[in-house]
DNA sequence: ATGTGC
């Protein structure tokens, strides 16, 4: 008999280990799949995640199945951790299925330092980073951009940073799409969005965004770890942030326009938050071009923060950063929609692959993996919480057949920010991390520390275990925090 | 996530 899992009015049936399916019924165009262990499934049984996932199967052109990654939880319309491959010719594109923070993502920078080099100097380092990298809501960035600067960043991405001395050539070759989305259309980004972004170039923002100095605690795959330049005890830097007010404004601009101009499509959807523009429409093209421009902005944002971090390390350790092996390992987006060609049940199709809180995980040999990682598969960076550490995976062979080339993006929230602030007090969390785990955290707001307390997250080990077992993203290395700055 | 609302 088929094993089932009941959650409210949703019944999932087990397809095989870690694969659960909501069979199509009513206006569902395809099944919905959750990739999770039973404990992870139980953690999304009582919120809107499964209902939202089911809703996404109503989107025109959704292909084969809608998916929820192991770290999934409820979001705006479309679950965080959601993946949908939607036909780019006959389907649609949905801003809510990309997320408000366009190209929210992570980059990891290597160093040649070991934990011994930073131990005892955590406080000095965390203070220096906090002084150098703007955090929190509002304006102020590493760079104060004027209007032409914003245009250049939207158009050319990290190439702009290279020209301006904020990057080296190797940074481009170790970034998804070499740091530039060619489909970017800066004219499709509103003046209001550009104005908001102008003084936010090189700023972390708030919420779950952070910069963390970490040490590698484990390697699981010696050959891939070596190819990625990772070894136990090594110090690395992880940067998690997105496109700030510029991306947020762009998402909002297009949601409102799409709701108005494609009200007929919206009328057939179960949730207003899923508003989508039909493929081929002017608005679909404009949103795609604007989103790609925001992607470039976010890559530059992370680039500026990384380069500033190099300067901080040079200062603190009194050596040129080039002599400390401070190279970009990889930068990967986890809030994005991309035109990609995939093998589907209907044959080869060009899809808008929507990944919202999901990471692309292309395996070895895929032509879109940067040359540096063509033989190992794309690095997949999965940040965990301040108390649990993070993972580096490599894109798995099964990702292309199972998940449109995707895997998880983090530990996944267990509770809302409001609930977190009722459960935790920022100062206590900070003290506990420092005294218990030698993790030095500095934030511009105590509330943010409470909202991001380790206890508000699911078990990242369990999330990664599922990814690895399914063969969509394979374990390479694990890291643990040393010091962390956040909004 | 966000000049912390739709």
């Amino acid at each position: 008999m088929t094993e089932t899992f009941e959650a409210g009015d949703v019944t999932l049936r087990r397809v095989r280990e870690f694969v659960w399916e909501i069979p199509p019924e009513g206006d569902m165009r395809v099944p919905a799949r959750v990739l999770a262990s039973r404990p992870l499934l139980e953690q999304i049984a009582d919120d809107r995640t499964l209902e939202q996932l089911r809703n996404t199967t109503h989107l025109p052109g959704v292909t084969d199945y809608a998916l929820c990654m192991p770290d999934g939880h409820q979001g705006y319309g479309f679950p965080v951790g959601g993946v949908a491959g939607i036909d780019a010719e006959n389907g649609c594109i949905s801003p809510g299925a990309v997320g408000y923070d366009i190209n929210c993502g992570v980059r990891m920078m290597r160093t040649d330092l070991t934990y011994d080099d930073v131990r005892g100097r955590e406080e000095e380092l965390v203070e220096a980073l906090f002084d150098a990298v703007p955090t929190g809501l509002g304006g102020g960035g590493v760079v104060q951009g004027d209007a032409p600067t914003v245009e250049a960043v939207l158009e050319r991405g990290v190439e702009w940073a290279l020209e301006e001395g904020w990057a080296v050539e190797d940074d481009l070759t170790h970034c998804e799409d070499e740091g530039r989305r060619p489909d970017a259309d800066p004219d499709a980004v509103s003046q209001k969005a550009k104005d908001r972004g102008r003084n936010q170039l090189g700023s972390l923002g708030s919420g779950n965004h952070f910069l963390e100095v970490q040490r590698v605690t484990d390697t699981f795959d010696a050959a891939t770890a070596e190819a990625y330049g990772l070894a136990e005890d090594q110090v690395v830097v992880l940067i998690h942030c997105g496109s700030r007010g510029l991306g947020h404004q762009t998402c909002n601009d297009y949601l409102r326009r799409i709701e108005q101009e494609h009200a007929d499509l919206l009328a057939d959807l179960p949730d207003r938050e899923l508003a989508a523009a039909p493929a081929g429409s002017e608005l679909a093209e404009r949103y795609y071009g604007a989103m790609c421009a925001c992607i470039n902005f976010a890559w530059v944002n992370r680039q500026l923060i990384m380069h500033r971090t190099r300067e901080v390390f040079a200062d603190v350790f009194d050596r040129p950063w080039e002599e400390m092996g401070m190279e970009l390992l990889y930068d990967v987006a986890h809030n994005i929609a991309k035109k990609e060609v995939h093998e589907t049940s209907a044959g080869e199709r060009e899809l808008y692959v929507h990944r919202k809180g999901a990471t692309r995980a292309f395996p070895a040999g895929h032509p879109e993996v940067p040359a540096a990682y063509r033989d190992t598969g794309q690095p997949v960076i999965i940040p965990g919480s301040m108390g649990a550490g993070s993972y580096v995976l490599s894109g798995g062979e099964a990702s292309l057949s199972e998940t449109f080339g995707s895997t998880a993006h983090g530990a996944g929230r267990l509770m809302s920010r409001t609930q977190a602030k009722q459960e935790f007090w920022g100062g206590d969390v900070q003290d506990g991390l420092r005294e218990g785990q030698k993790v030095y955290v500095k934030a511009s707001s105590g509330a943010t520390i409470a909202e991001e307390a380790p206890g508000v997250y699911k078990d990242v080990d369990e999330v990664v275990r599922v990814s690895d077992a399914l063969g969509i993203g394979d374990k390479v290395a694990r890291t643990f925090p040393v010091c962390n700055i956040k909004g």
Side-chain angles (χ1 to χ4, degrees), chain A residues 2-22:
Chain A
T2 311
E3 195 183 336
T4 60
F5 184 91
E6 307 276 343
D9 69 336
V10 181
T11 301
L12 297 127
R13 62 178 188 84
R14 184 180 180 276
V15 177
R16 59 178 190 275
E17 192 176 25
F18 304 136
V19 181
W20 300 83
E21 190 164 282
I22 309 170

Side-chain angles (χ1 to χ4, degrees), chain A residues 422-440:
Chain A
Q422 289 161 357
E423 302 268 342
F424 301 100
W425 184 251
D428 295 342
V429 173
Q430 198 172 18
D431 293 347
L433 283 163
R434 185 170 170 152
E435 282 150 31
Q437 302 183 273
K438 303 228 179 307
V439 177
Y440 292 74

Side-chain angles (χ1 to χ4, degrees), chain A residues 41-218:
Chain A
L41 210 48
E42 278 160 6
Q43 292 174 335
I44 52 172
D46 300 324
D47 65 14
R48 295 193 61 211
T49 313
L50 297 170
E51 179 195 340
Q52 289 183 336
L53 176 65
R54 188 173 56 183
N55 289 344
T56 68
T57 67
H58 294 237
L59 288 163
V62 62
T63 301
D64 290 345
Y65 35 63
L67 289 143
C68 181
M69 298 297 111
D71 55 333
H73 58 91
Q74 67 181 25
Y76 178 90
F78 193 95
V80 176
V83 174
I86 301 183
D87 195 297
E89 201 181 328
N90 303 307
C92 64
I93 187 165
S94 172
V98 171
Y100 264 93
D101 190 4
I102 295 166
N103 191 7
C104 184
V106 275
R107 67 165 55 195
M108 182 176 278
M109 175 169 58
R110 285 187 289 260
T111 80
D112 287 341
L113 303 175
T114 65
Y115 187 36
D116 275 345
D117 294 319
V118 297
R119 204 186 324 215
R121 305 187 65 179
E122 295 95 336
E123 222 150 335
E124 182 188 354
L125 190 56
V126 82
E127 293 294 338
L129 288 166
F130 193 81
D131 285 345
V133 178
T135 62
L137 285 173
V142 168
V143 164
Q144 172 61 47
D146 53 13
T149 302
V150 175
E151 293 295 328
V153 167
L154 293 172
E155 177 80 36
R156 301 210 302 282
V158 186
E159 288 175 17
W160 170 86
L162 181 65
E163 289 160 20
E164 296 294 318
W166 288 99
V168 294
E169 200 74 56
D170 273 358
D171 295 339
L172 275 70
T173 56
H174 293 84
C175 185
E176 181 173 353
D177 290 340
E178 302 197 331
R180 179 181 184 173
R181 262 285 68 204
D183 302 324
D185 179 5
D187 292 343
V189 177
S190 71
Q191 193 56 50
K192 192 175 178 186
K194 290 171 183 169
D195 289 344
R196 285 182 69 174
R198 190 183 300 183
N199 66 348
Q200 297 185 324
L201 270 167
S203 64
L204 274 176
S206 185
N208 61 355
H209 292 161
F210 61 80
L211 182 157
E212 191 166 87
V213 179
Q214 311 179 322
R215 58 193 164 97
V216 177
T217 53
D218 307 273

Side-chain angles (χ1 to χ4, degrees), chain A residues 208-375:
Chain A
N208 61 355
H209 292 161
F210 61 80
L211 182 157
E212 191 166 87
V213 179
Q214 311 179 322
R215 58 193 164 97
V216 177
T217 53
D218 307 273
T219 54
F220 307 103
D221 169 348
T224 308
E226 193 183 345
Y228 289 177
L230 293 173
E232 283 174 28
D233 231 28
Q234 176 186 0
V235 169
V236 296
V237 179
L238 192 65
I239 295 163
H240 178 209
C241 61
S243 52
R244 302 294 329 277
L246 180 132
H248 187 273
Q249 185 65 47
T250 301
C251 179
N252 205 51
D253 288 343
Y254 280 93
L255 278 170
R256 299 294 90 84
R257 285 187 60 188
I258 290 170
E259 283 168 1
Q260 286 179 6
E261 293 178 38
H262 294 290
D264 48 342
L265 197 163
L266 185 54
D268 289 335
L269 295 173
D271 186 347
R272 184 177 186 82
E273 296 179 353
L274 285 176
S281 67
E282 192 203 338
L283 213 39
E285 295 298 318
R286 298 277 291 175
Y287 170 67
Y288 190 67
M291 179 194 57
C292 288
C294 294
I295 289 170
N296 285 339
F297 183 93
W299 275 328
V300 171
N301 191 26
R302 293 196 284 275
Q303 177 68 38
L304 292 174
I305 293 168
M306 181 182 81
H307 204 71
R308 178 52 70 86
T309 301
R310 287 167 165 163
E311 295 170 349
V312 169
F313 271 63
D315 205 34
V316 169
F317 296 103
D318 200 22
R319 285 168 68 192
W321 64 263
E322 294 90 340
E323 289 179 15
M324 290 186 280
M326 301 186 78
E327 299 165 346
L328 178 58
L329 193 157
Y330 200 52
D331 182 311
V332 62
H334 54 227
N335 274 14
I336 203 164
K338 259 180 150 169
K339 281 185 187 172
E340 293 172 5
V341 175
H342 285 267
E343 193 61 47
T344 75
S345 59
E348 206 171 72
R349 288 284 185 281
E350 185 172 53
L351 305 173
Y352 284 123
V353 180
H354 296 68
R355 298 186 183 92
K356 177 187 184 179
T359 312
R360 191 158 88 167
F362 283 170
H366 194 288
E368 286 177 57
V369 175
Y373 301 121
R374 197 69 52 79
D375 297 336

